[in-house]
Amino acid sequence: MNVPHANELFIGSRWVAPQSSELADVVAPFDGRVIRQLPRPTVDDAKLAVAQAHDAFDSWAGLTHDARREIVARFCGALDKRLDEIVRVWALEAGMPFRNGDELTRAASDLWNRALDESRTAAWIETRETSMGRIEVRQEPIGPAVGIVAFNGPHMQFALAIIPGLLAGNTMIIKLPRECRMLGYLFADAAADADFPPGVLSILAGDADVSQYLVEHPRIAAVHFTGGTEVGMSVMHACADRVANVVLELGGKSAAIVAADADLDIAVPALVDAMALYSGQICVAMTRLLVAREIHDDVVDGLVAGLKALKMGDPADPETTWGPLAATRFLNRAESYIERAVAGGATIATGGVRPRGLEGYFLEPTLLTNVTNDMEAAQNEIFGPVFCVIPFDTLDEAIAIANDSRYGLSGSVFTTDEQAGLDVARRVRSGVFVINATFPCLAAPFGGVKQSGFGREGGPEGLFSLTQSKSITLSSAGDASA
């Protein structure tokens, strides 16, 4: 597949020659073959990006909001022209099934265009009357910022974090994972069409050494990190050493509660669809299924039938509903969790093996029963197709199980009792929650609590995630009364 400027890197809003001749393989998870090679960004490339972001910050932050919005709108428009390419490349290099990838990519477009609209009316500057006088409150950019995005939705993270950060006036360095090298070139090509001022935006699909260099750099004023909790802790520590701002959108072990009165014709298909989404490689995946004991067997039977009916195959095929994992390390990790869960007493209701006839990084959707909430498979984010069913006797018990987790990202409840559903939603400790569905609204504030991170994306609140509030006293109380 053609990649724009395949021998260059996008640094400081311009295509430039790499600092080294190192190349990185792009591997297709469907069959494990190397489909092309691209320049491997190095620490020297990251050093150039930081220098340019630092030099460009004052002029970019000094533009009016309307002037910045006009440039960012060109970027969003250029991305919109590449939506079909983004879907195809995401399937090819990261294994996202075309059907889901298309839905999520269109949703990302809606979100970045929504951010543009919301930025027009956002309270970037407001005046408040207080008992101590009249105050101007300003939402100001922080400085050169790094956005580290994940392979399971980088363009969604552009919509929720990067574009708001640019609109706010930060210069941005985007670090994509190795599974999204070609996607990075599509994003960069769109940014080149937008003609950002020099230095404002860099997009690099680098490895861990590049990430570490960027988050530890003294000239990086803020880091917006999306990824696993353990790595997020390291990012937070690096930022703490210099008191840099940090936003963490981390992992989850979200619980879907299926009450005894749930409509299973709604609940079971919704849960199967949620489990099928990118083979469980989604931070908001409902990986703990808490089921009322009296309907436990019926729910398990329905889930098994639904999972077995999924079509496994080439993610580029629009009919595929279950694709490969994005890399071998994710496959090996999921298999090791399954092995230890079974050794600890869990039962495989379906799945748990690599399918025959497929050469890539495939693992059948795996449903575990006879699981208790203290098991490793129920407590750790596996980020793969391993789902645990845990029975409960009362909704109070279900809420206690849902909250018995170091994570707190999402959650859901299925019930025909509207008040009970709202009560559960309010009592489960999570950043977002859904009633009688599984996927949260990303146009509202999105983010986690506990070890699922802090800070918010989406909605008006997300526009300010990479800003600092500054207050200016325009007149003191004494002046006002004079």
Side-chain angles (χ1 to χ4, degrees), residues 12-300:
S13 308
R14 301 293 182 265
W15 291 107
V16 301
Q19 298 290 303
S20 86
S21 59
E22 292 184 51
L23 295 175
D25 291 340
V26 177
V27 179
F30 171 59
D31 54 15
R33 64 188 172 92
V34 176
I35 51 180
R36 71 167 308 129
Q37 291 184 315
L38 290 169
R40 184 193 302 276
T42 64
V43 167
D44 286 337
D45 297 307
K47 185 181 300 184
L48 176 61
V50 172
Q52 296 214 16
H54 176 267
D55 292 345
F57 172 69
D58 285 341
S59 59
W60 179 246
L63 294 178
T64 65
H65 286 287
D66 287 342
R68 285 199 298 269
R69 187 183 304 112
E70 180 179 347
I71 298 169
V72 176
R74 292 202 299 263
F75 181 35
C76 293
L79 287 170
D80 283 336
K81 293 177 181 177
R82 292 164 171 80
L83 295 184
D84 291 340
E85 281 185 280
I86 289 171
V87 174
R88 287 195 297 271
V89 169
W90 200 13
L92 180 63
E93 72 171 344
M96 168 60 84
F98 184 94
R99 177 184 298 183
N100 292 142
D102 186 66
E103 293 173 354
L104 291 174
T105 298
R106 308 294 161 184
S109 172
D110 289 343
L111 288 168
W112 61 58
N113 284 295
R114 185 183 182 93
L116 286 173
D117 290 340
E118 289 175 337
S119 72
R120 291 185 173 88
T121 56
W124 300 106
I125 303 173
E126 61 174 315
T127 301
R128 302 176 186 172
E129 298 293 339
T130 76
S131 61
M132 297 184 67
R134 191 158 51 96
I135 309 297
E136 180 180 274
V137 179
R138 306 173 62 88
Q139 300 298 330
E140 297 190 340
I142 299 172
V146 168
I148 299 178
V149 303
F151 70 87
N152 65 339
H155 45 322
M156 191 70 74
Q157 292 149 35
F158 266 73
L160 295 174
I162 308 310
I163 285 169
L166 289 167
L167 288 168
N170 302 285
T171 51
M172 301 289 298
I173 301 169
I174 314 308
K175 211 293 291 184
L176 289 97
R178 68 188 77 169
E179 293 82 14
C180 295
R181 295 189 192 277
M182 292 198 300
L183 274 180
Y185 276 81
L186 292 183
F187 300 150
D189 195 46
D193 282 358
D195 195 24
F196 281 91
V200 170
L201 180 60
S202 298
I203 300 175
L204 301 170
D207 295 321
D209 59 336
V210 171
S211 297
Q212 182 176 355
Y213 175 83
L214 290 171
V215 300
E216 293 178 351
H217 200 287
R219 283 185 163 177
I220 294 300
V223 175
H224 193 298
F225 174 82
T226 301
T229 294
E230 285 68 27
V231 178
M233 291 175 179
S234 299
V235 170
M236 185 175 177
H237 189 281
C239 291
D241 284 345
R242 62 180 191 283
V243 199
N245 286 259
V246 61
V247 177
L248 299 177
E249 201 283 279
L250 305 178
K253 196 69 182 179
S254 302
I257 298 172
V258 186
D261 66 344
D263 184 338
L264 299 190
D265 289 337
I266 294 174
V268 171
L271 291 169
V272 170
D273 286 346
M275 288 187 277
L277 183 57
Y278 211 179
S279 304
Q281 298 172 118
I282 298 289
C283 61
V284 294
M286 299 293 127
T287 51
R288 289 186 298 157
L289 311 179
L290 313 186
V291 181
R293 196 176 301 276
E294 56 262 51
I295 60 170
H296 174 276
D297 292 351
D298 290 338
V299 171
V300 169

Side-chain angles (χ1 to χ4, degrees), residues 28 60 118 242-243 254 265 342 361 378 387 412 423-424 442 457:
W60 179 246
E118 289 175 337
R242 62 180 191 283
V243 199
S254 302
D265 289 337
V342 171
Y361 311 144
F387 309 96
S412 69
D423 180 61
V424 170
L442 300 181
E457 303 172 339

